[in-house]
C-alpha cells in the first residue's frame, strides 16, 4: 500500500505555472469561482454564498492535506500569485494505487492551456512521486472542454453512468476517464 505524506506541502511548477497551497489570502478568488453558477455548472457541489463559505472550504483543504487524505493546489502564474483556479487529487485509494483528479478554472483564463499544463504537472507528481498506478477523472457528460483536456492527456473513457448521482433534486449522469501509469 502507498504511503501518502503532504508534509511539507508539495509546491509544483511547470513552464508558466506554480501549483501552491491555497490560503485565506485566496478567499476572494475561491469565493468568486465557487459562488458562480456558470463556473460551477458541471460540479455538483453547493455554491458558496459568503466569503466565509470560501474560508471554510480552505480549512477543509488544509485538513485534507494535514490528514494526507487529499490535496488541492491553487493554480497561479509564476510571476503573479493571483489564484486562477484549483486542481486536486481526491478520493485517494492507496490500497489500490488509484486516485481521482479534478480541476476548476476561472473563465477569464479559459483557452490558454492552463488546465492542460497543470494537469500534466499533477499527473507527473501522482505517478512519479506518489507512485499511483492509475488516475481517474469523473466529469459531467456535457462538459466537453474537460473531456478534450482529458483526451489530450491520454485519459481513456471507462464508462458513462446513468443517473448515478443526486444533487439539488435531480439525478445526474457521470462519465469516468482514467489514465494508467505505463
Amino acid at each position: 500500500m502507498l504511503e501518502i505524506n503532504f508534509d511539507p506541502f508539495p509546491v509544483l511548477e511547470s513552464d508558466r505555472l506554480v501549483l501552491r497551497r491555497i490560503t485565506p489570502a485566496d478567499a476572494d478568488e475561491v469565493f468568486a469561482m465557487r459562488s458562480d453558477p456558470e463556473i460551477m455548472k458541471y460540479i455538483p457541489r453547493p455554491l458558496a454564498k459568503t466569503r466565509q463559505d470560501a474560508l471554510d472550504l480552505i480549512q477543509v483543504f488544509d485538513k485534507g492535506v494535514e490528514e494526507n487524505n487529499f490535496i488541492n493546489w491553487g493554480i497561479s502564474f509564476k510571476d503573479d500569485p493571483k489564484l486562477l483556479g484549483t486542481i486536486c487529487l481526491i478520493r485517494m485509494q492507496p490500497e489500490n494505487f488509484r486516485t481521482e483528479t479534478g480541476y476548476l478554472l476561472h473563465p477569464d483564463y479559459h483557452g490558454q492551456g492552463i488546465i492542460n499544463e497543470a494537469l500534466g504537472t499533477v499527473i507527473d507528481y501522482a505517478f512519479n512521486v506518489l507512485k499511483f498506478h492509475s488516475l481517474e477523472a469523473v466529469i459531467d457528460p456535457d462538459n466537453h472542454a474537460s473531456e478534450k483536456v482529458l483526451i489530450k492527456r491520454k485519459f481513456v473513457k471507462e464508462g458513462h453512468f446513468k443517473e448515478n448521482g443526486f444533487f439539488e433534486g435531480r439525478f445526474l449522469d457521470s462519465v469516468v476517464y482514467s489514465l494508467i501509469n505505463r
Side-chain angles (χ1 to χ4, degrees), residues 27-169:
D28 290 338
E29 287 85 6
V30 170
F31 177 70
M33 287 185 283
R34 298 294 293 239
S35 66
D36 187 319
E38 187 61 24
I39 294 172
M40 295 293 292
K41 73 179 172 184
Y42 297 124
I43 301 173
R45 301 283 181 276
L47 293 177
K49 296 192 182 344
T50 66
R51 187 174 187 278
Q52 185 60 50
D53 290 345
L55 287 167
D56 292 346
L57 184 60
I58 292 167
Q59 284 185 331
V60 170
F61 294 164
D62 283 341
K63 186 174 182 185
V65 168
E66 289 165 11
E67 296 177 354
N68 297 306
N69 289 329
F70 60 87
I71 185 168
N72 280 271
W73 288 274
I75 304 169
S76 298
F77 287 119
K78 284 183 174 179
D79 61 355
D80 184 354
K82 181 181 179 185
L83 187 75
L84 314 173
T86 62
I87 190 164
C88 63
L89 293 173
I90 57 173
R91 295 185 182 89
M92 293 187 172
Q93 302 173 39
E95 69 280 6
N96 294 317
F97 294 77
R98 187 169 177 91
T99 189
E100 180 181 333
T101 188
Y103 36 81
L104 183 67
L105 184 67
H106 193 281
D108 289 352
Y109 304 99
H110 286 184
Q112 298 179 33
I114 291 169
I115 291 298
N116 181 46
E117 187 173 328
L119 183 58
T121 304
V122 169
I123 291 167
D124 180 66
Y125 178 77
F127 286 166
N128 297 317
V129 176
L130 295 179
K131 304 298 185 192
F132 281 104
H133 176 69
S134 62
L135 189 58
E136 73 179 28
V138 180
I139 66 169
D140 184 295
D142 293 328
N143 192 344
H144 303 295
S146 187
E147 179 183 48
K148 282 181 187 176
V149 169
L150 295 170
I151 290 169
K152 187 179 242 183
R153 283 286 165 192
K154 309 291 187 220
F155 280 70
V156 175
K157 184 177 179 179
E158 286 190 342
H160 183 140
F161 298 93
K162 299 286 190 178
E163 299 184 1
N164 68 321
F166 187 76
F167 182 70
E168 294 187 338

